[in-house]
Amino acid sequence: MVRRIAILGSTGSIGTSALRVIEALGEGFKVVALSAHSNVELLAEQVGRFGPGFVAVTNAEKVGELGELLPDYRGRIIGGPESLVELAELDEVDIVITAVVGAAGLGAVLAAAGRGKRLAIANKEPLVIAGKLLTETAKANNATILPIDSEHSAVFQAMQAGSRDEVSKIILTASGGPFRTAGAEEMHNATIAEALSHPTWNMGPKITVDSATMMNKALEIIEAVWLFGVSVDKIDVLVHPESVVHSMVEFVDGSVVAQLGTPDMCLPIQYAITYPERVEGISSHLQLDQLGSLTFGKPDMERFRALKLGFEVARLGGSAPVVFNAANEAAVAQFLAGRIKFGQIVELIADCLDRHTVRPSVSLEELLDADAWAREEVGRRVG
Ligand code: NDP
Ligand code: MG
């Protein structure tokens, strides 16, 4: 049986890697739907190569351009933010790979979960802000959620060594990013180019900045809470600059099971597609003898205040993760536009959290309100 795949955000770092993985998998897997936001040139190329029946351009102003680039295309082209939901709900789709960036992917993941699809999730922000709603929707509709995020793929793989109630700890590893050893002042004034030069992973700009603040790890703590149904008190973060041990699970008897691999997203992307099977793929294999040593250390929670906030926000739950994530998305955009200093990103997030009264449980409407409020608040503060 051919597995039919939709890639939401096919022009990004994860999206393009996913297409390489699927191309190499060959028979048995078919790309049936693709989406991009603005990069219609690359999207048109992908359409020519993979021949999906459905294409979405989420930036409505760019839909016409795609049509002009593909005069002979016989499939359906749709546009606007809501077009992602339409792709996620297609009867023609079995697996939805979510590779868009930010909360913009929320509607589509909820829709795919509601239709009982297999969800291969890279787009972590919806899980962070609506983890309860998403996991409940998935459960009620027999949807399967498989993580693409390398740490969570590692935990998911390690979890198979025991049962959920035998887990005593989840240990998320973190590279530490480009400022792992930087001084506080150097970090505060870091340039865009410095923040974008990640030592081990090659990723899109937003998550690369998140790795530099360690906000990415903070989001991943909350992501793990929802994916694995564990309390935040069972989650630890360990700095591991080599990015080879992708994460670990400690069981009650003291046994620690880790998953290792080269720092290459193709492996977790492929596993989320072929699970429960494993097949030969395009990721290079580890040469541990050439690495010599692997190192681990405690993160500096004072210099990386985002990480400390991440643990606090995960404990608070309710509307706190929504504000935490939205403030970060807005602040990172301001930083990448050259309007604020690197150090102000986390200051703005902390300010937003201070001004927000946490609601213990939130409906989808309240969640969207809190998200909009945090973005406006960052805008007001930056001026
Ligand atoms: P990129 O910025 O490289 O790609 C983002 C994709 O989403 C592009 O296809 C882009 O289209 C599209 N997009 C941008 N804005 C919107 C929007 N408002 N609505 C719909 N689509 C949009 O990001 P990454 O691939 O790096 O990351 C994608 C997600 O995966 C993120 O949530 C990230 O946290 C997560 N992730 C990424 C990892 C990585 O290695 N890159 C690792 C683990 C998780 P266009 O190109 O046309 O602008
Ligand atoms: Mg990760």
Side-chain angles (χ1 to χ4, degrees), residues 155 169-173 234 236-238 247-250 256:
V155 170
K169 210 188 277 177
I170 285 178
I171 304 159
L172 299 175
T173 55
K234 284 192 173 178
D236 260 4
V237 171
L238 212 50
S247 279
M248 306 175 238
V249 174
E250 184 197 78
V256 176

Side-chain angles (χ1 to χ4, degrees), residues 9 11-14 37-39 58 100 122 124-125 149 203-204 265:
T11 49
S13 163
I14 292 287
H37 192 59
S38 302
N39 192 349
T58 39
V100 306
K124 66 191 84 182
E125 294 89 346
D149 211 350
M203 311 178 284
M265 290 308 295

Side-chain angles (χ1 to χ4, degrees), residues 240-276:
H240 167 49
E242 296 84 7
S243 302
V244 165
V245 175
H246 295 313
S247 279
M248 306 175 238
V249 174
E250 184 197 78
F251 291 91
V252 284
D253 58 358
S255 187
V256 176
V257 180
Q259 188 262 344
L260 284 70
T262 55
D264 177 358
M265 290 308 295
C266 289
L267 182 56
I269 291 169
Q270 175 172 305
Y271 189 61
I273 297 173
T274 66
Y275 173 83

Side-chain angles (χ1 to χ4, degrees), residues 123-193:
N123 180 210
K124 66 191 84 182
E125 294 89 346
L127 250 174
V128 169
I129 65 179
K132 187 167 190 287
L133 184 60
L134 178 57
T135 50
E136 284 173 359
T137 307
K139 199 170 171 199
N141 296 283
N142 286 322
T144 314
I145 296 182
L146 293 167
I148 284 181
D149 211 350
S150 57
E151 295 78 2
H152 304 74
S153 176
V155 170
F156 179 70
Q157 294 179 59
M159 283 281 201
Q160 292 166 36
S163 69
R164 287 281 160 104
D165 51 10
E166 290 166 352
V167 172
S168 58
K169 210 188 277 177
I170 285 178
I171 304 159
L172 299 175
T173 55
S175 70
F179 307 129
R180 181 173 54 90
T181 57
E185 200 183 314
E186 183 190 336
M187 223 171 113
H188 185 84
N189 296 309
T191 64
I192 297 173

